[in-house]
Amino acid sequence: MILNPWSATRSGFTTCCGAACSFGAVTARLVAKEPAVKVDELTIRYGGFTAVDAVSFSASPGEVTVILGPNGAGKTSTVEHLEGYRRSTSGHSAVLGHDPIRDRRELSTRVGIMLQEGGIPMSIRPRDVLRQYAGFFDDPLDPDEVLERVGLTRHASTTFRRLSGGEKQRLSLGLALIGRPEVAFLDEPTASVDLAGRDSIAAIIGDLRSEGVCVIVTTHDLGEAEKLADHVVILDRGRVVADGTLDELLADNSGDDVYFAASGSLDSRRLGEHLGRHVIVVGSGEFSVAGQGDKTRTMADVSMWCSNNHVELLDMRSGRLRLDDLFRRLTAGGPSSSEPASERGGPE
């Protein structure tokens, strides 16, 4: 069985495999001053439901753009449109200067796509499927070098069904790496992967960045996102609620805030009245309050109030905002409805 990574599934792209697997040829084709991906007022509707609502952002070569959002935020629909699988209702987008739907064939050898799951026959073996995928590209990476880079050399002859969840994820990444992409879409690249595997995948993403590839990652792991991201786009309810470099977003939203976690019995309204400041609920049992220039005093006041009201204080810190703090602050309401399940090709 010959697998075409661009026929029925969303699988097939490329990355660097150490010194032997360079993206030099790719880098020469990129124009660093121009965005590799550009989205302008993109809107996608399913009947009366608006999944993506006038979304605009761009992603550049040599950078890792992480797209974040709660379930139903519009991430899947946006990325599937850019991959060429879901038509828009209105707006415009371009991948390497091409329309992702109309010019999908032109983009198929220049864009790499990694799915979280699906698209690989259970009986096929990693070495065999990598060799098959390599046949679709003019200048693919060496399949055995890809196996080594993603840590699957020992499992090269193991059938897909016998691989662990993390090993299957590594193979999906390898399939994405085989064709030397200029733009790489990675969907939850470290899902089900152990710590060593996460480090390896982070190194691969770093290689992609250094070779000038535009990497777009979707993930629910905010710690991972903070480590990887050069550029962050946060979606909520189909709209962009944050867009910028990680440093810009965290600096713009930081200040003298104090962050703390407490048992579920904490009454944020009563604590706010005591402090004379609004206490923000940023997550389940997690709160923030402005320090107003004296964070030490604020922390002492919160601790004393919790002690006097028999509330267990679980954690407290101050200083620079973290990405998970910002994410909770901007998406605290959660999605108003669930985004429709992914369908290959999308609505026509």
Side-chain angles (χ1 to χ4, degrees):
M1 177 180 181
I2 299 297
L3 302 176
N4 186 333
W6 289 88
S7 60
T9 67
R10 294 167 52 221
S11 295
F13 83 74
T14 324
T15 189
C16 179
C17 293
C21 302
S22 172
F23 281 110
V26 169
T27 306
R29 298 200 299 267
L30 295 172
V31 180
K33 293 183 179 180
E34 295 295 327
V37 173
K38 190 169 184 180
V39 180
D40 184 18
E41 296 291 312
L42 178 68
T43 298
I44 299 175
R45 296 191 181 95
Y46 307 102
F49 175 73
T50 301
V52 180
D53 190 359
V55 163
S56 299
F57 67 89
S58 61
S60 300
E63 291 186 356
V64 177
T65 295
V66 177
I67 300 178
L68 301 171
N71 292 331
K75 303 185 304 299
T76 298
S77 292
T78 298
V79 172
E80 286 186 346
H81 168 76
L82 294 173
E83 293 170 342
Y85 293 96
R86 193 171 294 282
R87 295 184 183 277
S88 63
T89 303
S90 63
H92 304 278
S93 63
V95 177
L96 299 172
H98 293 274
D99 184 290
I101 304 296
R102 185 182 64 242
D103 302 327
R104 185 178 171 201
R105 183 180 295 275
E106 165 68 21
L107 290 170
S108 65
T109 58
R110 302 176 66 188
V111 173
I113 300 170
M114 176 188 179
L115 289 182
Q116 187 175 349
E117 60 182 25
I120 303 175
M122 288 290 141
S123 60
I124 203 161
R125 304 171 195 277
R127 179 177 283 117
D128 294 336
V129 72
L130 283 167
R131 286 174 175 172
Q132 289 183 4
Y133 267 59
F136 294 106
F137 302 94
D138 292 334
D139 183 28
L141 299 176
D142 181 87
D144 287 329
E145 291 176 340
V146 173
L147 283 170
E148 181 178 359
R149 188 68 174 101
V150 300
L152 286 178
T153 299
R154 291 174 50 208
H155 304 284
S157 299
T158 303
T159 59
F160 184 74
R161 68 165 52 88
R162 294 184 178 276
L163 297 177
S164 69
E167 289 161 354
K168 290 176 180 177
Q169 193 72 347
R170 290 178 188 223
L171 179 57
S172 294
L173 177 59
L175 292 171
L177 306 182
I178 201 73
R180 301 184 188 272
E182 296 171 63
V183 176
F185 293 99
L186 309 184
D187 183 13
E188 297 283 346
T190 62
S192 303
V193 179
D194 61 18
L195 183 59
R198 286 171 177 263
D199 291 342
S200 176
I201 290 172
I204 289 171
I205 292 174
D207 290 342
L208 286 164
R209 173 201 285 125
S210 67
E211 293 289 346
V213 177
C214 173
V215 184
I216 296 181
V217 176
T218 60
T219 181
H220 285 95
D221 187 331
L222 297 175
E224 174 184 78
E226 190 160 4
K227 291 176 183 177
L228 294 175
D230 301 302
H231 174 211
V232 175
V233 178
I234 301 178
L235 302 179
D236 188 39
R237 303 175 190 237
R239 291 180 174 270
V240 174
V241 294
D243 178 7
T245 69
L246 188 61
D247 286 342
E248 288 171 347
L249 295 182
L250 297 186
D252 288 347
N253 288 276
S254 292
D256 295 320
D257 288 6
V258 170
Y259 304 91
F260 59 97
S263 64
S265 59
L266 187 143
D267 186 328
S268 59
R269 181 187 60 79
R270 286 184 55 218
L271 175 57
E273 290 174 351
H274 172 75
L275 297 173
R277 276 161 278 163
H278 183 51
V279 176
I280 300 172
V281 180
V282 296
S284 178
E286 299 182 353
F287 309 86
S288 72
V289 60
Q292 293 189 335
D294 191 349
K295 291 179 285 188
T296 301
R297 177 60 182 272
T298 300
M299 295 172 78
D301 288 346
V302 170
S303 297
M304 182 62 70
W305 186 91
C306 288
S307 176
N308 291 340
N309 287 272
H310 309 289
V311 172
E312 183 181 7
L313 190 61
L314 305 175
D315 180 40
M316 181 178 291
R317 62 185 174 81
S318 63
R320 176 184 164 105
L321 194 72
R322 296 188 313 209
L323 182 58
D324 58 340
D325 300 319
L326 176 62
F327 181 86
R328 290 188 180 97
R329 177 182 294 183
L330 295 177
T331 64
S336 58
S337 181
S338 296
E339 186 177 1
S342 171
E343 299 176 9
R344 294 189 184 101
E348 296 295 320

